[in-house]
Amino acid sequence: MGVKKRWVRLGAFALVGLLIVGAVLQFTGLLSKLNPFETSTVDRSQPAVLQAMRDLSQYHAAVGDYQVIVDIEKDVKWVPASIAGERTLFVAAGSVDAYLDFGSLAEKSLTVSEDRTSVEVRLPEPQLAKPNLDNERSYVFGQERGLVDRLGALVSVPDQHQFYVAAEKRIADAAQNSGLLERAKINTKAMLTGMLQALGFRVTFPAEPTT
């Protein structure tokens, strides 16, 4: 009988232990839900308001994707970099559209032959749109700051606008020298040729002056 009572007591203790463990787990789970320091996000932004509408007459004929690393360093004269100054590496990615403005086409831009079988098209010069930076792929890759700048960053929000401006300029320069304008002109000629040929015209473009 003594042995049986011991086994009964051990079983009871084990059962009580399991109940205690279960209660603790439930209690800790409840505490996590009742955490007084839990953070939440509330978006109180107002809806966008339409300010203006514009009619466009642009044919966007080509787009280029670019990536650039902006390396900007600010030094304080006669002060070591460990005390004041900063250097920032900013990775920027964006695209540039090349387009032709058909709104500038005049009657003299299209010359139809007397037998109305061919048409000569004079195209306006292609232009580049403002670079469109991809915010999801543009970021500060690395930053080194002196002690004074690190302390200043604790009390004020760092200005990253300068990095975006510098990146836009470099991407615009790259687009200007990458052959994107020529690609836009070729694509536009192909589009107009296909459209006018479908109407029964033979399409020609005036020869461009050689430089």
Side-chain angles (χ1 to χ4, degrees):
M1 290 295 293
V3 175
K4 179 184 269 189
K5 287 183 179 181
R6 282 200 301 271
W7 282 108
V8 172
R9 289 177 180 175
L10 290 175
F13 287 146
L15 179 61
V16 171
L18 290 175
L19 292 175
I20 292 174
V21 171
V24 169
L25 292 176
Q26 289 183 354
F27 182 69
T28 54
L30 182 61
L31 280 180
S32 63
K33 295 179 180 179
L34 299 177
N35 181 8
F37 302 104
E38 183 180 4
T39 60
S40 61
T41 301
V42 179
D43 187 353
R44 293 191 175 90
S45 305
Q46 299 297 316
V49 178
L50 176 64
Q51 294 184 330
M53 296 182 68
R54 300 185 301 273
D55 294 330
L56 298 179
S57 57
Q58 300 172 353
Y59 175 65
H60 289 245
V63 60
D65 293 321
Y66 303 90
Q67 186 178 65
V68 63
I69 298 179
V70 178
D71 187 349
I72 295 180
E73 183 174 359
K74 292 183 177 180
D75 295 324
V76 180
K77 195 173 183 180
W78 310 115
V79 178
S82 59
I83 301 299
E86 66 177 19
R87 181 181 180 183
T88 304
L89 296 178
F90 182 75
V91 178
S95 60
V96 178
D97 284 5
Y99 67 92
L100 282 80
D101 187 1
F102 286 168
S104 62
L105 286 175
E107 292 184 0
K108 62 180 182 180
S109 299
L110 300 175
T111 303
V112 181
S113 62
E114 292 184 359
D115 59 2
R116 307 193 65 83
T117 59
S118 64
V119 58
E120 184 183 67
V121 181
R122 297 173 183 84
L123 292 177
E125 289 300 316
Q127 304 176 55
L128 293 177
K130 181 181 178 181
N132 181 26
L133 291 186
D134 187 342
N135 292 327
E136 294 185 357
R137 296 193 296 138
S138 302
Y139 57 93
V140 175
F141 177 76
Q143 195 166 50
E144 299 176 357
R145 288 193 179 114
L147 178 60
V148 174
D149 296 271
R150 288 200 300 269
L151 293 176
L154 297 177
V155 296
S156 63
V157 179
D159 181 20
Q160 294 189 355
H161 178 69
Q162 58 179 325
F163 307 129
Y164 284 87
V165 172
E168 284 185 356
K169 183 181 184 305
R170 285 164 174 77
I171 288 178
D173 292 341
Q176 189 72 39
N177 300 311
S178 63
L180 189 61
L181 291 171
E182 185 63 28
R183 173 70 69 86
K185 184 179 293 187
I186 293 173
N187 291 345
T188 303
K189 288 182 178 180
M191 181 274 295
L192 290 175
T193 299
M195 182 179 66
L196 293 174
Q197 282 181 347
L199 297 175
F201 290 97
R202 183 173 60 86
V203 185
T204 60
F205 298 91
E208 298 181 2
T210 58
T211 57

